[in-house]
Amino acid sequence: MKRLFNSFPAWIAILALVSCTTARQMSYLTDMEYNKDYPVKPAPELVVQPDDLLGITVTSSTPELAAPFNLFSDGKSTHEYVVDRNGNIEFPVLGTINVWGATLTQIRNGIADGIRANGFIKDPIVNVTLENFSVTVIGSAGNSMIPVKGNSINILQVLATNKSVTNKSDIRDVMVIRTENGVRRSYSVDLQSKDLFDSPVFYLKQNDVVYIKPKGVSLSASGQTTMTFVTAGLSLISIIVNALLWTSRTK
């Protein structure tokens, strides 16, 4: 029994090591260095896809000239246009406009150029917004759809807003599912690595799905390898405990 008590400091050290490991597992950007500059990539412009909802308004120094270019329903201005399956919208006066794959800036400039080219307004001011910009977050902590104001948001901002990451979350393998041009693809993001800033899904797009996996769930080869090491470690601890108990009993 004396040997068991003599090993108590060792067990304290083991528990401290486990606690430090747990804290590190929940730490973000562990490989970023202090006082070191990293290049910053600007947020890419959103690209319009079928089923998007665009908000488009046209104004001018002469309001009556701009009025025909703004939609009205029941006497109220709506300014909303649904992009059909072919990527088209039906715009007043100008007719059918294909916007599939275009940025909001390109759409704005295209409409303004069309209005000027046809001599309708010399100084049109066109504003284009994406009205259905939202991101879905799913995981063990809950599911939610987050509406986005503005034209850009990154994954860290979404997770901070959603509060979906807990000590049971696997922050080294966050899945982002993106659908573009009829193709669905999944990406893995490691929140502990500075490489996440270079990920194509650091800046999220409309209809992206962020999946926060619980620890212990593996959908990749790297995850399976991690679980193998965890299982081996637990087995080793079990052997040590049994050996200590046996020693105390035979003393």
Side-chain angles (χ1 to χ4, degrees):
M1 191 69 178
K2 184 177 179 181
R3 293 182 181 179
L4 181 61
F5 282 107
N6 287 339
S7 66
F8 185 71
W11 280 106
I12 293 295
I14 292 174
L15 290 174
L17 179 61
V18 171
S19 299
C20 291
T21 301
T22 301
R24 182 173 178 81
Q25 288 176 345
M26 288 305 299
S27 299
Y28 292 78
L29 304 172
T30 56
D31 58 355
M32 286 198 75
E33 301 178 28
Y34 288 108
N35 302 315
K36 180 178 179 179
D37 294 334
Y38 295 91
V40 177
K41 293 183 178 180
E45 284 202 70
L46 296 173
V47 175
V48 174
Q49 305 178 48
D51 298 323
D52 276 343
L53 182 64
L54 300 178
I56 305 176
T57 57
V58 178
T59 57
S60 169
S61 57
T62 308
E64 57 269 22
L65 294 179
F69 297 95
N70 295 293
L71 284 179
F72 286 86
S73 177
D74 298 327
K76 296 181 179 179
S77 178
T78 60
H79 310 298
E80 293 183 347
Y81 301 82
V82 178
V83 181
D84 66 23
R85 294 183 179 180
N86 296 316
N88 297 323
I89 60 172
E90 296 299 324
F91 196 75
V93 184
L94 298 183
T96 302
I97 300 176
N98 187 276
V99 296
W100 192 346
T103 65
L104 302 184
T105 298
Q106 290 171 334
I107 297 171
R108 181 188 66 210
N109 293 339
I111 291 175
D113 290 343
I115 293 174
R116 278 192 297 264
N118 287 279
F120 298 121
I121 308 175
K122 292 182 179 180
D123 59 344
I125 300 174
V126 181
N127 183 52
V128 182
T129 57
L130 184 63
E131 298 296 309
N132 66 320
F133 190 3
S134 64
V135 176
T136 301
V137 180
I138 58 177
S140 57
N143 308 323
S144 63
M145 181 174 288
I146 302 174
V148 180
K149 294 182 179 180
N151 294 327
S152 70
I153 192 168
N154 64 55
I155 190 170
L156 295 178
Q157 292 171 322
V158 165
L159 297 181
T161 301
N162 181 259
K163 298 181 181 179
S164 56
V165 177
T166 69
N167 58 0
K168 296 181 179 180
S169 301
D170 184 2
I171 65 173
R172 298 196 64 182
D173 187 17
V174 176
M175 177 183 287
V176 177
I177 304 170
R178 173 169 294 171
T179 303
E180 288 183 305
N181 300 321
V183 177
R184 184 174 291 111
R185 175 177 295 182
S186 62
Y187 300 82
S188 176
V189 178
D190 183 356
L191 300 182
Q192 290 191 319
S193 173
K194 64 180 183 297
D195 291 340
L196 76 90
F197 294 112
D198 297 320
S199 169
V201 293
F202 175 67
Y203 289 103
L204 298 173
K205 296 184 178 182
Q206 66 269 40
N207 305 317
D208 278 353
V209 177
V210 180
Y211 174 34
I212 311 298
K213 303 177 190 175
K215 291 179 182 177
V217 174
S218 175
L219 299 180
S220 64
S222 61
Q224 292 174 358
T225 302
T226 299
M227 286 304 300
T228 299
F229 280 111
V230 170
T231 302
L234 292 175
S235 299
L236 179 61
I237 292 174
S238 178
I239 292 172
I240 294 172
V241 171
N242 287 329
L244 290 172
L245 290 176
W246 182 84
T247 300
S248 66
R249 291 172 182 172
T250 56
K251 176 63 179 176

